[in-house]
Each structure stands twice: as structure tokens, then as C-alpha cells.
Amino acid sequence: MTAAAAALALMATLGVAQGGAERAEAQGLEVGGSGNAYYLNDQFTTTANIQFSFGLATDQVYFGDWDGDGVDTPMHRRGATFSLSNANASVAPQQTFTYGRSDDQVLVGDWDGDGVDTLAVRRDTVFHVRNSLSDGSADAVVAYGRSGDTVLVGDWDGSRTDTFAVRRGAQYHVRNTITSGPADVIVQYGRDDDDVLVGDWDGNRSDSFAVRRDATYFIANQIRPGEADVTVIYGRVDDVAFAGDWNGDGADTLGVRRVAAPPPVPADPVNCTGTGANQVDPAVCQTMEAARTDMLALVNAERAERDLPALRLDPCLDEVAQHWAESMAWLRTTGSAHNPDLTADMRACSMRSWGENVARDRVPTPDEQRIMERWLASTGHYNNLMTSSRTLIGVGVAPSSDGHWYYVLDFGQK
């Protein structure tokens, strides 16, 4: 089973320092990140005992038990084509097939209880489930949750069948059948901004949650609120983490995908000038500029509702925010990430204090209201939006080639 970034990832910088990521990593989803080096540990210790490479550094990657032998192994995705390996080793894929559309969100699970993981694709709130690793139509189609929910996959009740749960902050709505309807269990665990993984940590055939804070993992062996049963440190802070059963003993443990060094970002990552490299369709450029204007208006409308003065667009902040949005789009950053040069950029703009909100969303066209709702619901993002001591703002919006839109707000005070 896998761990991955949420479909919508939000990040906030508080004060003058970068804050932590607010992204959910869920078993059953894309691993996320970049790089083709994987470090697995089949015990809860600090050192990997399985290391291998697989595919390309830019591949979308998932883990699952593709042959029913009890061991989770990798699969990479390129568009709607999937290639899998049945070994955690540096070997070529052993099976390739296509399923769904290139822009679908893909989930992995054992939907029919036969011991083999297969795919489902999510389109808004509708899930198209396939019970074999092959081309063809869905075997089941079901609606669950809301369009903005983060989805997790697991066997929550020990039935040997994986089903869906949705996460809303630190609250989890768990459904025990692949059907529409209300949640069977609703539970709180961890914090709103925790990274979350799902696994059967103690081999009791039921999946539960773990939260990750930097390189520390707090694991609960039951779906319940309260203290963790196991706490372990593993990997590096910038690793992308996931979970799986690496030795077939029935218990899930941790793995990480080591982040590859990103390629250098060009000076004009999303080129709307009409000449030179990285040119973008003029219609897309118009949509991008309209979204920037709309986002600024939305920010100030929300501030006006709270009797706060409007933020003024600062040319220097605006350039920084737009370039970072375009950089993430060019890099096709999984989730979203803070500008690593933010401090230097803010000082170059003569700012005494600053903050940053960042988001990514997979939608055909920008949806500023959707992003704003997420930011308003998050304490860190809300504070950046409503801090009265900052009067200046820069707005960045940019599309990536893989169907995502990236958003950046840089706040400042001279």
C-alpha cells in the first residue's frame, strides 16, 4: 500500500520563518516527490534494510501487492500507462497496462478481497474501481465524500477488503464498504497539519493511522483518538514517506522515496511573451492573469469582511510570488513547497517581515474561491491573510503541464 500527497496541498509560512507542510499522505495514493531511490525498512528501526532504484526520477509512483504474495512492490505511471514490478529490487517492470485518463487521480487497494491490489480512479467525488490490473471498464462506480476531501485507502474493519476514508483536517470519516452513504466511523487523530499514513502496523489485519512530523512518526494501532502506540524516527525531513509490507509478514512498516535534486529553473518558466523557450498558449496566459487579479480581489474582500484594510500590490513581491508559482509549475512540484529563497527574496524587496501561503490544485481552470476556503480553514494560512501589520502583497498563479494550478501569496511590510 502507498502513501502520497493530497490532491490539494496547502502550505503556510508564519512570521518571518517558513512553516511546516500541510499535506496529507495517504495509503492508496501516489507516493509523490521525485527521485528513483527507495529505502524500505521491514522493522521499526532507523536504518533501511532494502534499497533499490526503480523507473525515472520524474515518474508518478505507487506501491501495492500486485501478485498476491503479501509483499508490496512499486509501480510507475506515465500518463495513463502503468508499469509494475513484483520485486523491491533494481529490475525492469514486469507488466504494463493502461487504465483511466492521464489526468485522473489514482488510488490503490484490494477492492474485492482477493489479496491482489488493483487501481481505482477518482473524478471529483466519484470513484471508478477496477478489480484487475488490465485495460477495461470499471467493475464498480461509487460516490463518496466531498470534492475537496483528502482520500485515504485501507482495510478499516479487518474484512480483507480495502475501502475509502476521507480526511477533513484532523477528522476522519471511514466507510467500510465500497458504497455510497454516511461514514461508519468518525474519529479525530493528530493535528490538522500532520502528514498522515495508513497501515496495518501490528499485523492484526486492520489498518489505522500514523502521523508524521518531520522525520518522527506517531503510530496508532487502532482507529481512535489519543496517544500513539509507537513512536519512531526514520529517514530525512525532506524524504517522501509511504507505508507497505516489505517482507510478507502481515505488518506494514515505513519506506521513503529520496528526493532528487531538482533541475535548474529557467528565468521564465511559464513564458507568456510569445517568443523564446517555455511558451504557453496565449489563452492560458489570459486565464492565469485573470486568476491573479481575482485572487487579489478575493483576499481583500475577505479582509474587508473583518474590518481590515486592503493589501496593496507591491511590484517586487508580485514578481517574487509569480516566479515561484511558475517555478513550481515548471518543476511539477508534488503537493506544494515554499520558495527556498524566500528570505533572500524578501530582503531584496526591502521587507522587514513577511509570510507566504502556497497551494496546488488539480482542476481544469483556476478556482480561487476553493483555495481561499482551504486557507481560511487553516490557522497558519488564515493568520497570514489577516495579519494587520502587513500591508503589501504579491500574487502568483501558474499552470503546470500535468493539469495542476499553483498559487502563491507573499505578504510583506517595509
Side-chain angles (χ1 to χ4, degrees):
M1 311 303 289
T2 73
L8 174 64
L10 305 176
M11 302 184 74
T13 298
L14 307 180
V16 297
Q18 290 195 38
E22 183 180 85
R23 72 182 189 276
E25 295 184 337
Q27 180 161 326
L29 297 184
E30 179 187 344
V31 168
S34 61
N36 67 346
Y38 299 87
Y39 298 80
L40 314 180
N41 186 343
D42 57 22
Q43 301 180 47
F44 288 114
T45 59
T46 58
T47 304
N49 64 305
I50 302 170
Q51 301 178 31
F52 65 97
S53 60
F54 181 69
L56 304 176
T58 55
D59 282 334
Q60 295 173 272
V61 175
Y62 308 80
F63 276 81
D65 182 0
W66 316 119
D67 59 0
D69 68 349
V71 177
D72 292 321
T73 54
M75 169 192 287
H76 67 61
R77 173 190 183 188
R78 297 170 187 170
T81 300
F82 300 82
S83 299
L84 65 87
S85 170
N86 287 318
N88 288 315
S90 301
V91 296
Q94 287 136 1
Q95 181 182 344
T96 297
F97 64 97
T98 60
Y99 186 56
R101 307 168 185 165
S102 60
D103 61 347
D104 281 331
Q105 183 184 8
V106 172
L107 303 98
V108 173
D110 181 1
W111 316 115
D112 60 359
D114 67 352
V116 175
D117 286 329
T118 55
L119 305 183
V121 298
R122 178 191 183 192
R123 297 169 187 163
D124 196 29
T125 61
V126 179
F127 300 81
H128 301 254
V129 176
R130 178 90 174 145
N131 289 325
S132 61
L133 294 167
S134 61
D135 308 346
S137 302
D139 295 296
V141 178
V142 62
Y144 187 57
R146 305 170 184 167
S147 58
D149 287 333
T150 297
V151 177
L152 303 97
V153 175
D155 179 0
W156 314 113
D157 60 356
S159 66
R160 303 194 180 186
T161 300
D162 287 326
T163 55
F164 305 125
V166 298
R167 178 187 182 190
R168 297 166 190 163
Q171 188 176 79
Y172 301 82
H173 298 248
V174 177
R175 181 83 175 153
N176 288 326
T177 55
I178 301 286
T179 56
S180 303
D184 295 296
V185 177
I186 299 175
V187 66
Q188 297 274 140
Y189 187 59
R191 306 170 183 166
D192 287 357
D193 59 351
D194 282 331
D195 292 350
V196 175
L197 297 92
V198 173
D200 179 1
W201 312 111
D202 60 357
N204 71 347
R205 297 185 180 176
S206 295
D207 288 328
S208 52
F209 304 126
V211 299
R212 175 190 181 188
R213 296 168 191 162
D214 294 326
T216 303
Y217 299 80
F218 300 85
I219 298 169
N221 288 326
Q222 296 178 331
I223 296 178
R224 54 155 180 77
E227 298 297 319
D229 296 298
V230 177
T231 301
V232 64
I233 297 173
Y234 188 61
R236 304 173 182 170
V237 172
D238 61 349
D239 285 333
V240 177
F242 51 93
D245 184 351
W246 316 127
N247 60 1
D249 67 352
D252 289 324
T253 49
L254 301 175
V256 298
R257 182 183 193 181
R258 190 126 295 164
V259 177
V265 177
D268 198 359
V270 180
N271 184 354
C272 290
T273 66
T275 60
N278 307 315
Q279 291 185 55
V280 176
D281 186 316
V284 174
C285 291
Q286 292 173 4
T287 299
M288 182 172 68
E289 290 306 312
R292 295 178 69 196
T293 300
D294 292 346
M295 180 61 85
L296 177 60
L298 192 56
V299 168
N300 282 329
E302 293 292 342
R303 286 175 63 89
E305 286 187 10
R306 295 159 178 82
D307 297 322
L308 292 170
L311 298 175
R312 291 182 289 111
L313 197 66
D314 178 83
C316 189
L317 287 180
D318 206 41
E319 182 178 348
V320 169
Q322 183 60 23
H323 187 266
W324 182 237
E326 292 184 10
S327 297
M328 287 193 291
W330 190 82
L331 292 166
R332 297 195 300 175
T333 304
T334 299
S336 55
H338 284 297
N339 177 359
D341 299 322
L342 185 64
T343 297
D345 287 343
M346 293 298 100
R347 287 175 176 164
C349 290
S350 301
M351 298 297 156
R352 292 186 293 106
S353 68
W354 56 85
E356 182 174 78
N357 284 4
V358 184
R360 182 188 79 155
D361 201 5
R362 183 191 284 272
V363 287
T365 57
D367 190 340
E368 302 83 21
Q369 184 64 50
R370 171 181 164 96
I371 298 300
M372 183 58 66
E373 289 173 359
R374 303 304 188 277
W375 279 337
L376 292 173
S378 165
T379 301
H381 302 92
Y382 181 93
N383 288 342
N384 274 343
L385 287 162
M386 302 304 165
T387 296
S388 58
S389 62
R390 295 184 190 131
T391 59
L392 305 174
I393 191 172
V395 181
V397 179
S400 67
S401 60
D402 63 348
H404 289 90
W405 285 85
Y406 292 83
Y407 305 80
V408 179
L409 298 181
D410 282 333
F411 308 88
Q413 179 63 39
K414 293 185 176 180

